[in-house]
Amino acid sequence: MLYPKNSVDKLGFTEVKELIKAHCLSEMGQQMVDKIQVMSNYDLIYKFLNQANEFKNILVNDAALPIHHFFDIKTLANKARIEGVFLSEEEFYQVQASLQTVFAVIAYFSEREGLYPNLEALFEHLPIEKAILKKIDAVIDAKGKMRPNASRELNEITMGIAKAEQEARKKIDQIFKAASGSGWTADGSLTVRDGRLCIPLLAENKRKLKGFIHDESASGQTVYMEPEEVFTLNNRVRDLEFERRREVVKILTALTDELRPYTPLLLSYHSLLTKLDFVRAKALFAIDIEAEMPQVVNEARLKLYNARHPLLFLNFKAEQKTVVPLNVHIDEGTRIIVVSGPNAGGKSVCMKTVGLLQMMVQAGLLIPAAEASVVGVFKQLFVDIGDDQSIESDLSTYSAHLSKMKTFVEDANGKTLILIDEFGTGTDPQFGGPIAEAVLESLNHKKVRGMVTTHYSNLKIFASNTEGIENASMLFNNVEMKPLYQLEIGKPGSSYAFEIAQKIGLPVNVLNLAKNKISEGQKKVDTLLVDLEREKREIFETKQKLDKQQRRVNELQTENEKLKSYLDENKKVLIKEAKDQAKNIILNANKLVENTISEIKSSNADKEVTRNLRENLNIELKKNTVKVEPVKPSPTADEELKPGDWVKLTDSETTGQVIELIKDNVVIAIGDLRTVAKRKRVIKVSKSSVPKDIRRNFNSHTNDLASFSPEIDVRGMRTEDALHAIEKLFDRALMMGFNNLKIIHGKGDGILRKMIRQYLKKYDQVDRLEDEHADRGGDGITYAYLK
């Protein structure tokens, strides 16, 4: 139940329906959109939401649904029901095209059985009667014209007409040629008069030919005659055309008689096409507003994440602006939210967003909010927005508000959602405030859910002291005096009346006079609210900075752990190689010593032999002696580093290649890692001293850079796969320093192009997006320019 009935207009639901209607292909679909209503049946709501969501998935991720023709075959079926009435060729063509669409759609879903269960339910148990289409195809061609061979008689008549027309043309050409040779004709060629082909004769020669004069020129010097022989043949053609018309009516009547038993099935096909057009329009609108399907529960509660007002979203989108998202929850613990804050701070838009999105969900429409949002089902929706004063009913603004409050208090219950804008206004605040507080207390006692906006301090105090009612405020930058349009639950907001008045330029003496007229208690409350909001804002900004710093610390920690892991791994390899090498040296040394001793013994310690053996030992000792290379000083002005040089860190054996020099810092590539070191911590080394495996890894990276292409073709890919491929290309392009990407996505319905561009716009590294030149692909190709 909606109260009052104009709530759909107040919340913008009527405008939403008009936008959906614009996507309909048929008048029947538009009629269904006009019938959209807010429902309270959970099962119906859930079914309609799933249908819209499945159709949206088809439009975004699957091949196009073969929907080409939408005609009102219900009217044609009802016409065909009447005995003695027949459908025209054009009407049979509409039935034919509609049936082709129906069968193509059913075949489409049959190939994807089980993927879209809620859409498949639209034609469940619907028989596929192709005999109807076969009968129509035998008579009507693809252009909607009757086939010449639709019957034997029609074929004979058609051939007879063609033959008679050919004879008449041949005869008149002969007569015209002879008359021209005799000089009887006027200038010009054969011409048509009264639907007949005539010869233009000079008036003085009109009696030299037998025939029927159909017309004469304005001057009377030329007459237009149909020769007697041709006149007879043309009459034969006309008689045959009458026969053909009678035969066509006979064929159409017979075909209509054959179609008549199938009229109930045609009505079912009409219903399917209408529903498909309707659901398609809802899905297209959902794509426009970037809507998702929330979690739907059969309870009187809601929890919205990143919710946006759809109409505001579309307006801002056209102006290339963004809507500040709304996060709000209403449940058993927080039944009523009292929103306060400055004028033009977004209180009413916030409340209207909640109301409109609730209406949309209960009407089976997807909403612009995160998928994690939870939306319940309310049996009643009561709305008090705007001025409903009535001259006819002798109602003032405040009387109109009170009249609604009476209905709210009497009829609302725990399954009612109330939305009240500027609660209690319209009369003396001294009396309006207490009345509003009493109404709010009564509604809370009945466990009503909802949201109200107010400037009254007594309502803010009441909300802070009452279980089930929660204060909320629209954030305001009291330094720049600008609203932030962010809803914050848990505290009331100041109206910033004096601050806004001061910014507008109200004289200081007037402001001071006004401040002296309010009570000290009210001054203190408002000052505390302003100070509290300022402190909250400062805490929020500090928290953002800390979060940013923490993310940077985490990134550095991860990078250090990777570097340590890399160094530990290299250390293990080097130690293992050194141990193996030492083992081999010891084994070889033992053999050499044993052989030397053996040879000394066998030569009886001959001096010459012993000297030679000692020299051999010295040679082997020199081979395995480690040469200590002198440490080179850090680069000076005479030995400046440049990109491409190989360097070694002075406090470790790590080797890398210089990528970039930034003041006193050096950016070094160590394998796949990048690090920054002070120039005094690095020593330039020769390329030959760098191990081959390190150089090989670096060359591999260079080859990757040379082979990389900043172009990708995603035509024919599903949206999810296309975005994944583009993300990988985007990451590599950023790493390798490319400044643009070329994405070939094709034109089609433009959905893939739209999803790709929306995806790329979320990256700060993307500077702009442009179409290819019209001669080279136009909007079928997107260039992404990187910063």
Side-chain angles (χ1 to χ4, degrees):
M1 172 185 171
L2 289 178
Y3 177 81
K5 294 298 181 184
N6 65 352
S7 299
V8 292
D9 299 321
K10 297 279 187 181
L11 292 175
F13 190 64
T14 303
E15 292 179 59
V16 167
K17 287 167 66 172
E18 289 300 318
L19 291 171
I20 296 173
K21 280 174 68 175
H23 287 295
C24 290
L25 295 173
S26 68
E27 188 177 344
M28 304 92 71
Q30 292 177 348
Q31 290 170 357
M32 280 201 76
V33 174
D34 286 331
K35 294 176 183 177
I36 291 179
Q37 292 183 343
V38 178
M39 302 171 288
S40 57
N41 184 308
Y42 171 79
D43 294 329
L44 276 178
I45 293 169
Y46 190 69
K47 182 180 78 172
F48 290 154
L49 283 171
N50 274 299
Q51 286 176 354
N53 195 43
E54 287 178 1
F55 212 118
K56 178 193 163 197
N57 287 336
I58 289 175
L59 293 173
V60 173
N61 299 317
D62 211 336
L65 195 66
I67 297 178
H68 305 297
H69 302 285
F70 278 96
F71 295 108
D72 185 5
I73 56 176
K74 179 180 179 180
T75 303
L76 302 180
N78 289 331
K79 179 181 178 181
R81 278 180 169 176
I82 305 170
E83 293 285 343
V85 173
F86 65 88
L87 300 182
S88 67
E89 294 172 65
E90 174 60 26
E91 289 170 335
F92 269 116
Y93 170 71
Q94 293 180 8
V95 174
Q96 179 189 46
S98 298
L99 291 179
Q100 288 171 345
T101 298
V102 168
F103 298 149
V105 166
I106 294 175
Y108 179 93
F109 285 109
S110 297
E111 293 172 0
R112 296 160 175 78
E113 188 174 358
L115 281 179
Y116 309 108
N118 291 280
L119 290 175
E120 289 173 19
L122 291 176
F123 52 84
E124 191 176 14
H125 309 305
L126 186 65
I128 302 174
E129 190 55 72
K130 292 194 175 180
I132 313 174
L133 191 58
K134 189 175 180 181
K135 290 175 181 178
I136 297 174
D137 285 343
V139 175
I140 306 297
D141 62 19
K143 295 181 180 179
K145 301 299 180 183
M146 182 167 289
R147 298 182 185 276
N149 59 348
S151 72
R152 183 175 58 81
E153 291 80 2
L154 182 65
N155 193 33
E156 290 177 356
I157 293 170
T158 303
M159 291 175 64
I161 291 173
K163 185 178 179 181
E165 286 178 340
Q166 187 177 5
E167 289 178 5
R169 179 69 192 208
K170 186 177 180 181
K171 191 67 178 175
I172 199 169
D173 283 342
Q174 290 175 352
I175 296 173
F176 179 65
K177 188 176 181 181
S180 296
S182 301
W184 298 344
T185 60
D187 293 336
S189 58
L190 293 172
T191 186
V192 176
R193 288 291 186 274
D194 295 334
R196 301 280 192 143
L197 201 59
C198 300
I199 297 173
L201 290 175
L202 294 171
E204 62 267 21
N205 298 324
K206 63 182 179 181
R207 301 195 182 279
K208 295 181 180 178
L209 277 179
K210 290 183 178 181
F212 180 79
I213 296 175
H214 286 276
D215 197 5
E216 65 178 19
S217 65
S219 62
Q221 295 180 356
T222 303
V223 296
Y224 300 96
M225 176 183 288
E226 182 181 13
E228 186 177 39
E229 301 95 319
V230 179
F231 184 76
T232 304
L233 289 171
N234 282 335
N235 283 343
R236 172 61 180 158
V237 170
R238 182 158 294 185
D239 290 342
L240 287 171
E241 285 176 346
F242 284 133
E243 285 184 36
R244 184 184 185 281
R245 203 166 298 144
R246 287 192 292 271
E247 182 61 23
V248 166
V249 171
K250 179 181 174 184
I251 293 169
L252 293 176
T253 302
L255 186 57
T256 306
D257 292 341
E258 289 186 86
L259 187 67
R260 191 166 292 117
Y262 297 106
T263 50
L265 186 57
L266 289 178
L267 293 175
S268 299
Y269 289 155
H270 170 86
S271 177
L272 171 61
L273 289 177
T274 302
K275 289 173 183 175
L276 281 175
D277 189 21
F278 172 63
V279 179
R280 175 183 173 276
K282 292 200 297 182
L284 287 170
F285 177 68
I287 292 173
D288 288 344
I289 61 174
E290 298 180 10
E292 301 288 348
M293 178 174 171
Q295 300 174 36
V296 186
V297 294
N298 197 10
E299 302 171 27
R301 64 187 178 94
L302 64 88
K303 185 178 288 186
L304 297 175
Y305 297 108
N306 294 331
R308 292 147 294 166
H309 194 289
L311 302 177
L312 188 63
F313 174 81
L314 290 175
N315 287 336
F316 275 34
K317 190 177 180 182
E319 298 172 7
Q320 296 184 337
K321 298 179 183 177
T322 55
V323 177
V324 178
L326 169 70
N327 296 309
V328 63
H329 70 275
I330 296 174
D331 51 27
E332 180 58 34
T334 306
R335 291 187 291 274
I336 301 176
I337 298 176
V338 178
V339 184
S340 52
N343 286 320
K347 299 190 301 297
S348 298
V349 172
C350 169
M351 186 183 65
K352 288 180 179 180
T353 300
V354 172
L356 179 55
L357 297 194
Q358 185 64 44
M359 269 190 178
M360 289 174 66
V361 169
Q362 291 194 215
L365 302 176
L366 305 182
I367 58 172
E371 287 182 277
S373 299
V374 180
V375 181
V377 176
F378 293 89
K379 299 296 182 184
Q380 299 178 120
L381 183 59
F382 292 168
V383 178
D384 182 14
I385 297 175
D387 183 359
D388 283 338
Q389 64 178 330
S390 170
I391 296 175
E392 293 81 4
S393 304
D394 194 26
L395 290 177
S396 67
T397 300
Y398 187 62
S399 299
H401 284 307
L402 284 181
S403 176
K404 289 179 183 176
M405 291 307 105
K406 174 178 178 293
T407 303
F408 286 15
V409 172
E410 290 177 351
D411 298 339
N413 55 46
K415 294 185 176 180
T416 303
L417 180 69
I418 61 154
L419 301 169
I420 306 174
D421 194 23
E422 299 295 348
F423 198 18
T425 57
T427 189
D428 188 339
Q430 185 177 353
F431 304 106
I435 292 175
E437 185 176 327
V439 171
L440 189 58
E441 184 175 0
S442 175
L443 293 172
N444 185 49
H445 182 70
K446 295 183 121 183
K447 309 240 180 246
V448 172
R449 272 69 164 161
M451 181 179 283
V452 301
T453 67
T454 187
H455 287 286
Y456 285 173
S457 297
N458 68 304
L459 294 183
K460 301 175 190 178
I461 296 169
F462 178 71
S464 64
N465 297 326
T466 306
E467 185 180 353
I469 304 180
E470 188 74 63
N471 268 309
S473 62
M474 301 305 298
L475 293 181
F476 192 81
N477 187 328
N478 49 20
V479 176
E480 298 181 8
M481 301 306 296
K482 290 182 179 178
L484 300 175
Y485 306 110
Q486 294 177 4
L487 179 70
E488 184 174 21
I489 307 291
K491 71 176 186 66
S494 169
S495 296
Y496 289 94
F498 289 110
E499 289 82 357
I500 294 173
Q502 184 177 351
K503 185 181 179 183
I504 288 174
L506 204 64
V508 176
N509 61 322
V510 175
L511 283 173
N512 291 334
L513 188 62
K515 288 177 182 178
N516 292 331
K517 290 182 180 294
I518 63 173
S519 66
E520 288 298 322
Q522 183 60 43
K523 281 183 185 177
K524 188 174 181 181
V525 169
D526 208 51
T527 302
L528 286 173
L529 285 174
V530 172
D531 291 342
L532 179 62
E533 196 156 325
R534 182 183 295 112
E535 290 174 7
K536 280 266 189 180
R537 183 65 185 167
E538 290 173 357
I539 292 171
F540 176 74
E541 290 175 352
T542 304
K543 184 177 180 297
Q544 282 188 319
K545 291 179 181 177
L546 288 174
D547 289 343
K548 186 176 180 181
Q549 291 174 0
Q550 185 61 46
R551 285 195 299 270
R552 179 59 182 157
V553 168
N554 292 340
E555 289 173 3
L556 290 173
Q557 186 176 355
T558 303
E559 186 177 338
N560 286 336
E561 287 175 357
K562 287 182 179 178
L563 183 58
K564 184 177 180 298
S565 175
Y566 173 78
L567 294 173
D568 288 346
E569 189 64 30
N570 279 355
K571 181 179 178 182
K572 290 176 184 178
V573 172
L574 291 172
I575 290 173
K576 183 178 180 300
E577 290 178 354
K579 285 180 178 180
D580 291 341
Q581 190 174 356
K583 183 179 178 181
N584 291 332
I585 291 171
I586 292 170
L587 290 175
N588 292 334
N590 287 338
K591 288 180 183 179
L592 181 61
V593 170
E594 288 173 1
N595 291 338
T596 302
I597 293 170
S598 175
E599 290 183 17
I600 290 172
K601 286 180 179 179
S602 63
S603 65
N604 295 321
D606 182 85
K607 290 183 178 181
E608 187 64 28
V609 173
T610 302
R611 188 176 69 253
N612 292 335
L613 292 173
R614 186 179 289 117
E615 287 179 358
N616 289 338
L617 284 173
N618 288 332
I619 291 170
E620 290 299 324
L621 179 62
K622 288 179 181 179
K623 284 182 181 178
N624 294 293
T625 299
V626 178
K627 295 180 180 179
V628 179
E629 295 183 2
V631 178
K632 293 184 179 180
S634 57
T636 62
D638 297 329
E639 190 180 6
E640 290 293 332
L641 290 177
K642 60 182 182 299
D645 287 344
W646 289 92
V647 294
K648 182 160 59 175
L649 299 176
T650 56
D651 51 357
S652 72
E653 293 299 315
T654 304
T655 304
Q657 191 169 31
V658 176
I659 295 178
E660 188 179 359
L661 298 171
I662 306 173
K663 295 184 179 179
D664 292 329
N665 297 318
V666 183
V667 182
I668 306 170
I670 303 173
D672 292 329
L673 298 176
R674 301 290 182 271
T675 188
V676 179
K678 293 292 183 181
R679 293 187 64 169
K680 61 184 179 181
R681 286 185 56 227
V682 300
I683 301 171
K684 184 175 180 181
V685 297
S686 62
K687 185 176 180 181
S688 58
S689 66
V690 179
K692 289 183 179 179
D693 56 341
I694 295 178
R695 281 185 284 163
R696 193 180 301 115
N697 289 339
F698 193 88
N699 289 336
S700 173
H701 175 73
T702 305
N703 292 337
D704 287 347
L705 182 63
S707 63
F708 174 74
S709 171
E711 178 176 329
I712 189 170
D713 188 344
V714 296
R715 288 176 294 182
M717 295 172 66
R718 292 166 65 93
T719 303
E720 185 178 351
D721 296 334
L723 294 180
H724 180 67
I726 291 169
E727 183 180 32
K728 289 171 65 178
L729 183 76
F730 183 78
D731 289 343
R732 292 193 65 196
L734 285 176
M735 288 177 62
M736 295 181 179
F738 280 79
N739 59 5
N740 66 74
L741 297 177
K742 179 180 180 182
I743 303 166
I744 305 170
H745 44 67
K747 296 183 179 180
D749 294 331
I751 294 172
L752 181 58
R753 169 181 175 270
K754 179 180 177 182
M755 298 302 291
I756 289 172
R757 294 197 173 193
Q758 286 178 352
Y759 175 78
L760 289 172
K761 283 178 181 176
K762 71 180 185 179
Y763 287 105
D764 294 335
Q765 295 87 345
V766 176
D767 183 31
R768 67 186 190 279
L769 301 172
E770 292 182 358
D771 290 342
E772 173 63 280
H773 190 277
D775 295 339
R776 297 190 292 275
D779 59 0
I781 298 172
T782 293
Y783 276 98
Y785 293 92
L786 309 182
K787 295 179 181 177

